[in-house]
């Protein structure tokens, strides 16, 4: 049985020269089904304790789902100012790249999960060897951490994969481009997101000019020693297949959605993707289920894809994320079960919830930092202008270009363009202080 340290009393008295305090600390079992009575203190019913490494908006949005289920969500925060700190009672600040910090945070937790994929894999393996319940396991998480491992796994599973190669020199990149045809995409295997760590190279000349510095840095890097080169597929739009799996094997996908990117950042999501060939939609969801099952994923996973109508499967797999994902934020207000509740269920190995869309279609619109610096000051305008919209704010300081929140709205398919306009209008008010 796991235990959580609880501070019961701090009784202090003051003399002219000294401050005397009596600290009474008790140990309570987690998941206690009834109130616990110790002396004159009654402790409330306690649920399983979930530790989340990382204090960003994903951890913040797990908190309401945890509260609804009576779970005790605790966060290892990067700083006292990160968004999740305001949403939970317990949020120690620590470095997730320090093993002793991770050990201390893991003590007393029923399960450890993640807000991001950047925790060193070797540390997670150490924690598991010491008896910590880490979900997803590092053996699965590594495929979201390392794009080269991911590409090899997708190929091994026989799923739609663009042509790719591991390259360690400019000459190898040029040879790859000459073989498959230009343009090509060059990626760092670790750490890239929202367009970071990605170069689209249209010609050998551009490859020499723009990628030389990347190759020059490889000998001195400690996080990776080679790069990933991929063909640039002629996609018509981007898709995302969101799925959840619990450790005992149950898997539930959500409908495949369309994602619209602006400057390499997710700007809008339409769920489900409209006018998507039903066979392609089924195959894309099936691919996500296969990856989750074959790699032993637990929790929520997003499989980002390119729709390529003339390809054999109609799509290619782009990247994986093993955690709740921006392309799944629509589920908070548009699905029977949100991705955040589902993630908590999955990592605790509880039965998974229904993933149906509540109405005909759901729209999610991100908003970045813009001209408006007072988000709460424009709430009256945004809420009155778009009363059907659900506003989510991440509690971040507003900076230009920084992802600080999103807007959800649902309705009938016939309303889709009006719904998109409403979400965009609310986002414009929040971002710049004025409607479209």
């Amino acid at each position: 049985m796991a235990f959580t340290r609880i501070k019961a009393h701090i009784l202090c008295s003051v003399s002219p020269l000294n401050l005397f305090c009596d600290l009474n600390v008790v140990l309570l079992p987690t998941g206690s089904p009834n109130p616990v009575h110790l002396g004159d203190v009654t402790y409330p019913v306690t649920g399983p304790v979930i530790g989340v490494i990382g204090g960003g908006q994903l951890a913040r949005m797990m908190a309401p789902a945890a509260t609804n289920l009576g779970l005790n969500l605790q966060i290892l925060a990067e700083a006292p100012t990160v968004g999740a700190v305001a949403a939970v009672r317990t949020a120690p600040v620590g470095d997730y790249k320090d093993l002793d910090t991770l050990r201390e945070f893991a003590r007393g937790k029923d399960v450890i999960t993640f807000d991001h994929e950047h925790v060193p894999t070797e540390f997670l393996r150490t924690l598991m060897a010491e008896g910590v319940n880490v979900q997803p396991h590092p053996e699965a998480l590594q495929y979201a951490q390392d794009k080269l491992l991911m590409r090899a796994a997708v190929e091994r599973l026989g799923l739609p994969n663009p042509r790719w190669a591991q390259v360690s020199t400019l000459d190898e990149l040029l040879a790859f481009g000459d073989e498959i045809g230009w343009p090509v995409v060059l990626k760092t295997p670790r750490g890239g997101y929202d367009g970071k760590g990605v170069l689209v190279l249209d010609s050998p000349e551009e490859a020499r000019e723009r990628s030389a510095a990347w190759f020059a840095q490889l000998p001195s890097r400690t996080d990776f020693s080679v790069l990933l080169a991929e063909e640039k597929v002629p996609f018509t739009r981007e898709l995302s297949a969101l799925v959840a799996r619990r450790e005992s094997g149950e898997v539930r996908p959500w409908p495949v959605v369309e994602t619209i990117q602006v400057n390499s950042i997710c700007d809008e999501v339409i769920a489900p993707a409209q006018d998507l060939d039903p066979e392609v939609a089924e195959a894309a969801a099936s691919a996500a289920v296969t990856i989750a099952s074959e790699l032993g994923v637990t929790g929520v996973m997003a499989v980002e894809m390119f729709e390529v109508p003339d390809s054999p499967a109609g799509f290619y797999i782009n990247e994986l994320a093993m955690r709740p994902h921006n392309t799944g934020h629509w589920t908070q207000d548009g699905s029977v079960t949100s991705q955040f509740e589902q993630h908590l269920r999955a990592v605790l190995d509880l039965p998974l919830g229904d993933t149906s869309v509540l109405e005909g279609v759901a729209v999610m619109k991100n908003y970045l930092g813009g001209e408006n610096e007072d988000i709460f000051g424009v709430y009256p305008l945004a809420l009155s202008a778009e009363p059907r919209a659900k506003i989510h704010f991440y509690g971040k300081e507003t900076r230009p270009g920084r992802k600080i929140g999103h807007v959800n709205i649902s309705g009938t398919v016939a309303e889709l363009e009006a719904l998109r306009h409403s979400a965009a209008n609310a986002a414009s008010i929040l971002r710049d202080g004025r409607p479209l």
Side-chain angles (χ1 to χ4, degrees):
M1 179 177 288
F3 288 86
T4 302
R5 298 186 68 85
I6 297 180
K7 297 179 181 178
H9 295 291
I10 302 177
L11 302 176
C12 299
S13 59
V14 181
S15 73
L17 296 178
N18 296 288
L19 171 67
F20 299 95
C21 291
D22 176 32
L23 174 63
N24 177 26
V25 178
V26 296
L27 292 174
L28 294 182
T30 62
S32 175
N34 297 297
V36 178
H37 306 279
L38 293 174
D40 60 350
V41 179
T42 298
Y43 297 92
V45 172
T46 58
V49 182
I50 301 174
V52 181
I53 298 175
Q57 61 257 30
L58 301 180
R60 179 186 177 100
M61 289 184 280
M62 293 181 202
T67 299
N68 291 343
L69 290 170
L71 307 176
N72 184 344
L73 192 76
Q74 301 183 15
I75 305 296
L76 179 63
E78 297 87 344
T81 55
V82 296
V85 170
V88 299
R89 294 180 61 185
T90 304
V93 174
D95 183 1
Y96 63 82
K97 292 176 287 188
D98 178 75
L99 179 57
D100 288 337
T101 297
L102 295 176
R103 282 178 169 137
E104 177 63 27
F105 179 68
R107 186 173 294 119
K109 306 296 188 298
D110 291 285
V111 64
I112 292 293
T113 190
F114 311 96
D115 170 88
H116 57 74
E117 294 125 336
H118 306 314
V119 183
T121 309
E122 62 272 20
F123 289 175
L124 298 178
R125 291 195 175 104
T126 298
L127 292 178
M128 290 197 68
E130 295 173 354
V132 177
N133 181 16
V134 177
Q135 302 290 349
H137 293 177
E139 285 70 24
L141 188 64
Q142 64 181 343
Y143 295 103
Q145 294 175 318
D146 191 313
K147 296 179 182 66
L148 284 165
L149 290 179
M150 180 272 294
R151 280 283 167 240
V154 171
E155 187 169 292
R156 184 172 68 251
L157 295 173
L159 298 173
N161 217 14
R163 289 174 290 179
W164 65 282
Q166 172 181 301
V167 294
S168 58
T169 66
L170 177 58
D171 286 343
E172 289 178 351
L173 172 63
L174 295 173
F176 175 75
D178 289 343
E179 177 185 352
I180 68 162
W182 300 88
V184 301
V185 180
L186 186 65
K187 298 181 179 180
T188 58
R190 287 178 173 265
Y193 68 97
D194 286 347
K196 300 178 176 67
V198 178
L199 293 176
V200 178
L201 306 169
D202 291 326
S203 65
E205 293 73 26
E206 188 174 8
R208 293 186 183 92
E209 179 181 343
R210 297 181 60 202
S211 67
W214 280 25
F215 288 108
Q217 293 172 2
L218 286 179
S220 61
R221 297 197 69 118
T222 58
D223 47 354
F224 53 83
S225 58
V226 294
L227 299 172
L228 170 63
E230 298 176 352
E231 70 170 313
K232 187 177 185 299
V233 298
F235 65 92
T236 55
R237 59 178 169 173
E238 296 190 50
L239 306 172
S240 179
L242 197 71
V243 65
R245 179 182 180 273
R246 55 190 285 215
E247 190 168 25
S248 55
E250 182 187 9
V251 185
R252 281 185 181 262
W254 282 267
V256 175
V257 304
E258 177 182 358
T259 73
I260 299 168
Q261 312 288 314
V262 176
N263 297 325
S264 301
I265 297 175
C266 179
D267 178 67
E268 187 180 13
V269 172
I270 300 171
Q274 301 298 294
D275 302 318
L276 181 62
D277 186 310
E279 292 186 1
V280 174
E282 183 178 353
S286 177
V289 169
T290 296
I291 292 170
S293 300
E294 294 298 322
L295 300 186
V297 176
T298 47
V300 168
M301 178 184 69
V303 183
E304 296 181 86
M305 301 175 172
F306 297 122
E307 183 183 10
V308 185
D310 293 333
S311 66
F315 67 93
Y316 286 105
I317 291 169
N318 181 21
E319 293 183 355
L320 308 180
M322 292 183 192
R323 50 173 169 74
H325 192 254
N326 197 171
T327 61
H329 290 351
W330 68 271
T331 63
Q332 288 174 292
D333 305 294
S335 174
V336 175
T337 308
S338 82
Q339 64 168 341
F340 301 102
E341 177 184 339
Q342 199 82 299
H343 186 75
L344 299 179
R345 290 192 189 202
V347 299
L348 289 170
D349 203 16
L350 295 172
L352 301 180
D354 187 344
T355 55
S356 302
V357 179
L358 285 172
E359 299 189 57
V361 67
V363 174
M364 188 282 303
K365 176 76 172 181
N366 277 329
Y367 59 93
L368 311 182
E371 295 178 22
N372 176 44
E373 296 182 355
D374 183 5
I375 296 297
F376 302 115
V378 299
Y379 270 11
L381 177 58
L383 294 171
S384 62
E386 302 297 344
R388 293 174 64 183
K390 298 294 185 180
I391 293 173
H392 298 266
F393 175 53
Y394 305 151
K396 291 180 174 180
E397 179 185 356
T398 59
R399 293 200 305 262
R402 186 186 199 189
K403 196 181 295 181
I404 58 173
H406 66 273
V407 177
N408 285 335
I409 192 167
S410 299
T412 65
V413 173
E415 298 178 284
L416 178 55
E417 290 310 311
L419 295 172
R420 295 180 67 186
H421 181 271
S422 291
N425 190 45
S428 176
I429 294 170
L430 295 162
R431 180 184 62 247
D432 295 323
R434 58 182 180 272
L436 292 174

